[in-house]
Amino acid sequence: QVQLVESGGGLVQAGGSLRLSCAASGRTFDILKMGWFRQAPGEEREFVAAISRNDATTYYSASVKGRFTISKNNAKNEMYLQLNSPKPEDTAVYYCASRSAGAQSYNYWGQGTQVTVSS
C-alpha cells in the first residue's frame, strides 16, 4: 500500500505562483512513476504532469507545458508541482497519483487539494 497526501492548494491570482506538494508513505520503494491530475467542476479528471521516479523523466500536458514544473525529492518521498502564471482555467482539484511496479496504470491516489485561480 502507498499513501499519498497533497498539500499547498489554495487561492492564487492569475499570473502568480503556487507550489503543490505530495508526500508518499508506505511501499514507496515500489513506485515507478508519480503524477498530478486535476478535475474541474463538471469535467472529467485529466492528466497534468508526471515524473519517473528513477531517472526523473518528465511528462506534461499541452495545456500546462511551459508554465508548470514537476519535480521530486526521493529522499523525502515527496513530489511537487510548481504552478507559474496560472490561469482561471487551471482552477480544479489537483490529485497526486502513483504507479507501482507491475501496475498497468496509476494505482494509488491522494484525496486532492483545491486550487482556485482568480482573474
Side-chain angles (χ1 to χ4, degrees):
Q1 293 277 355
V2 173
Q3 293 78 41
L4 302 171
V5 179
E6 303 95 337
S7 62
L11 177 65
V12 61
Q13 283 192 330
S17 64
L18 192 70
R19 189 174 87 153
L20 307 183
S21 298
C22 173
S25 60
R27 295 179 60 93
T28 57
F29 56 86
D30 231 7
I31 296 174
L32 293 182
K33 184 181 287 186
M34 296 185 73
W36 289 96
F37 291 75
R38 67 186 182 187
Q39 187 168 20
E43 302 289 333
E44 293 189 354
R45 188 176 296 184
E46 66 171 356
F47 169 77
V48 175
I51 187 165
S52 296
R53 184 173 175 82
N54 293 332
D55 62 11
T57 302
T58 57
Y59 311 83
Y60 294 95
S61 69
S63 62
V64 308
K65 192 170 187 179
R67 299 188 299 119
F68 293 4
T69 302
I70 190 171
S71 61
K72 64 182 178 64
N73 184 326
N74 285 351
K76 292 185 177 181
N77 289 315
E78 292 182 350
M79 177 181 65
Y80 314 99
L81 185 68
Q82 179 71 36
L83 286 66
N84 292 329
S85 300
K87 305 173 183 179
E89 51 263 43
D90 294 319
T91 295
V93 177
Y94 283 71
Y95 297 91
C96 168
S98 68
R99 198 190 97 191
S100 303
Q104 297 301 309
S105 60
Y106 290 92
N107 54 329
Y108 292 103
W109 295 82
Q111 291 300 306
T113 186
Q114 176 71 47
V115 172
T116 302
V117 184
S118 64
S119 57

